[in-house]
Amino acid sequence: MADNYRVFASHLLFAQVLEDPLGHLYRAGEFGKGGVLRTVWLRIFDGPHVPAADLRSAFDRARRIGDAVQSTNVAAGVECLEDDGVPAISFDHIASQPLGLVLDRVQEERFPVPVDNALLIMEKIALALSAGLSVEIEGGRVLHGFLHPGLIFVTYDGECVVSGFGLGEELLALAEEVSDAAP
């Protein structure tokens, strides 16, 4: 029997890849009149403490940043969307895994990432962040503001891609709220 696929806005959810405090990450297909237009990563910000209204208000800036910051280490094809008041971003799918899953597997298998690989990952993340610094939006340089393992993707050939530019300030409020709620 065929599985029932869920839909979020104009995206067909293929597979849930990750669930974390930010919400859910899916491999999805963006569809239009002719069928599936492209495969994307779809980050739905439906975590329990996510400031949804604040994220939606940051979408315009995030779109401008997505159009302006060009680097192989920055998510491409960024779209900001919402469905029933729940904010999300989509971006071009690349063959990769979220850094959060990589780190979970490292911990589970108790097999550390070799130092040279860890340094390579950090170098690629730094390249993404420096690409943001090379662009000026609203009179200032673009800072990410909220690096999170669920927003960083590690490819199978050693590259890293960072997503979530333009949403850092709003997501930082999530970290502050969660730390305030901790016993």
Side-chain angles (χ1 to χ4, degrees):
M1 187 168 159
D3 291 334
N4 290 328
Y5 287 103
R6 290 184 38 220
V7 173
F8 184 94
S10 60
H11 292 73
L12 184 62
L13 307 180
F14 294 149
Q16 180 178 310
V17 176
L18 179 67
E19 181 177 357
D20 61 21
L22 297 178
H24 294 85
L25 176 70
Y26 291 91
R27 192 170 36 83
E30 180 181 4
F31 60 87
K33 291 180 183 178
V36 175
L37 304 174
R38 66 182 180 137
T39 302
V40 298
W41 285 111
L42 178 65
R43 166 52 88 169
I44 300 175
F45 295 104
D46 59 350
H49 301 287
V50 171
D54 294 340
L55 280 176
R56 288 191 304 273
S57 70
F59 277 177
D60 185 49
R61 184 170 193 272
R63 281 186 196 100
R64 288 195 312 271
I65 290 170
D67 291 341
V69 178
Q70 302 296 311
S71 170
T72 57
N73 300 104
V74 174
V78 176
E79 290 189 37
C80 301
L81 51 145
E82 68 177 285
D83 189 353
D84 200 23
V86 177
I89 58 171
S90 70
F91 46 94
D92 293 342
H93 182 271
I94 54 170
S96 60
Q97 289 293 317
L99 181 58
L101 284 183
V102 173
L103 296 175
D104 287 347
R105 187 159 187 173
V106 164
Q107 185 176 17
E108 177 183 303
E109 294 179 0
R110 300 205 183 277
F111 191 80
V113 176
V115 172
D116 56 337
N117 291 47
L119 289 172
L120 181 63
I121 291 170
M122 293 305 298
E123 177 185 354
K124 301 301 181 168
I125 293 170
L127 286 170
L129 298 177
S130 65
L133 291 174
S134 69
V135 174
E136 191 173 308
I137 301 279
E138 298 172 359
R141 300 291 175 195
V142 173
L143 302 174
H144 189 282
F146 190 78
L147 280 180
H148 183 278
L151 297 173
I152 300 168
F153 295 79
V154 181
T155 70
Y156 302 118
D157 60 354
E159 291 296 321
C160 279
V161 174
V162 177
S163 67
F165 278 89
L167 303 176
E169 188 175 321
E170 291 71 21
L171 290 172
L172 193 55
L174 166 69
E176 292 167 357
E177 185 172 325
V178 170
S179 68
D180 289 344

